[in-house]
Amino acid sequence: MIEEPLKTPLLRVKNLGLRHLSASGPVTILADVSFDLGRGEILGIIGESGAGKSTLGNVVLGLLAPEFQRTSGTIEFDGMSTEAMTASAREAIRGRRISAIFQDHTASLDPLMSVGMQVEETVLAIDGSLSRRQARHRALDLLTRVGIPDPQRRYRQYPHQFSGGQRQRVVIAIALAGSPDVVIADEPTSALDATVQKQILGLLRTLVDETGVSIILVTHDMGVVSEITDRVLVMRKGQVVEQERTAAILDNPCHDYTRKLLAAVPRLRIPATAANPDDRQSRTGATEEGDRETMLLIAKGVSKHFSQRVFPWSRAGSKAKFALRDVTIHLRRGTITGIVGESGSGKTTLGRIIAGLDSAPSGRITIGGRQFDVAKSGRRSGLLGRVQMIFQDPAVSLNPRMTIGETLRETIRFAAATGRNDAPADLASMMDRLGLPRSLLTRHPHQLSGGQKQRVCIARTLLARPQIIVADEPTSALDVSVQAEIVDLLKDTVAERDLTMIFISHDLAVVQQLCSSLYIFKDGRVEDFGPTEFIFSRSDNPYTRALINARPQRFTC
């Protein structure tokens, strides 16, 4: 029997070391990292925040800032060391043969340029020999390949006119503009709901099968890893602790750290219970009428629309797009109610209206028997302070110029000014309770990890002493171990302080763990609702079942 010769990997990283030259001294970021990437292979890189996953991708791309210094190792692309290449040769590879898909699709697109022109300009930048007409034809072909509907019409539209999933498809089209050999995808699906995520993963796998492109997929989502990758590299504190075929990593991990990560992944439980035709009528009556004494909040008939006019000065007629259509929800005192739906379904819009951050032309909100005018926002409506939000991105929701201590003390003063601080707030006690070292009070947000920043946001919310908390995707950007800690923290906090919470999320497994009741949103309407156990086990709504079935099967039981 003649053995086949070993294939040379397309990309080889060997004994890579990297350090950051900070004011306090050099800090090791990567230590002795080695891996191979074959042609037509998808390699997943997983690990907690700060493990060095994104930095490793930036090293391969050559996008490191001057304060980062290579200390050891080599990177070989297509059999040639990048260190031996001239600067012009390395530049020719970047963007053409090695391209990137970044996590934030909104920041990756120019809001003042149509998406078609952005793809077209990228095509021309990569191949200057093409005419404008040829580049346009290539751009249309790319938009068609990534699944943008009606690309001829949407070519002239702007990023804000696309949904999150469609914007991510456009970013993928731009990454493919040069027909690259390697694509480095950094958390390309973390902000997407389950159905859109499944579409994007299917698209990436199809592109690999059709074009032979290789993908390095940086992610904290084990479901994504199980669905699409061929091999997995597990990183911790800048080192590779384990790498193997995906099935071997998921079924029989060798390292304790890998086992810890897998154990922290929330499992979606779907009881095998048949639907009962009488269920919908009984739960509708219970939810609509309910025990009025236990209902803390009732939002009834809330509607809101946005104009689709591209520019305010445009003479073209605008068309109203409804974000919410006659939405009614009920929140029982001391419970967590989930709101789930695809991007653009109106989840966050309703949360902002309830928190007094946005207004709505119609509808009413009643909290504890008192009615509030949703046509007004902020202090004018009286909702500000009674309802507090935990936002999706903690880095954006914290003032970068204020220390953590200044931010939290400002919240305490706000609570006192609004008459809701009935007892002196113990800041140190709150820090201890949320597992935050008191030394963080003197630091600024950029000096904290993602999990620490989210805990600070939760502390700020609790110190404001609200009646209701709206948590908008508070765990979507966190790795699985930190996510599990935040979920337990929210659950315990609501129980201990008898709070009421709206939990907005696209992660059904997390929603199932936290929420006692659930609303499913679609196109600005309530598509389905009821007790969480009913929704997952007995609801026969086709849209609800589609969301549940989009969950990766390996983490469904």
Side-chain angles (χ1 to χ4, degrees), residues 379 384-386 388 407-426 430 459-467 497:
R379 293 185 184 275
L384 198 65
R386 294 177 182 273
Q388 288 285 320
T407 295
L408 297 180
R409 291 186 187 99
E410 182 184 60
T411 303
I412 294 172
R413 289 193 294 270
F414 169 79
T418 54
R420 275 176 281 278
N421 197 0
D422 52 358
D426 188 342
M430 180 65 73
R460 180 177 61 182
T461 299
L462 295 176
L463 288 170
R465 297 185 177 275
Q467 291 177 277
R497 305 190 69 168

Side-chain angles (χ1 to χ4, degrees), residues 9-30:
L10 179 61
L11 178 70
R12 170 167 284 172
V13 175
K14 190 173 182 180
N15 305 124
L16 183 65
L18 183 75
R19 64 181 179 181
H20 178 244
L21 304 176
S22 64
S24 58
V27 178
T28 299
I29 305 298
L30 299 174

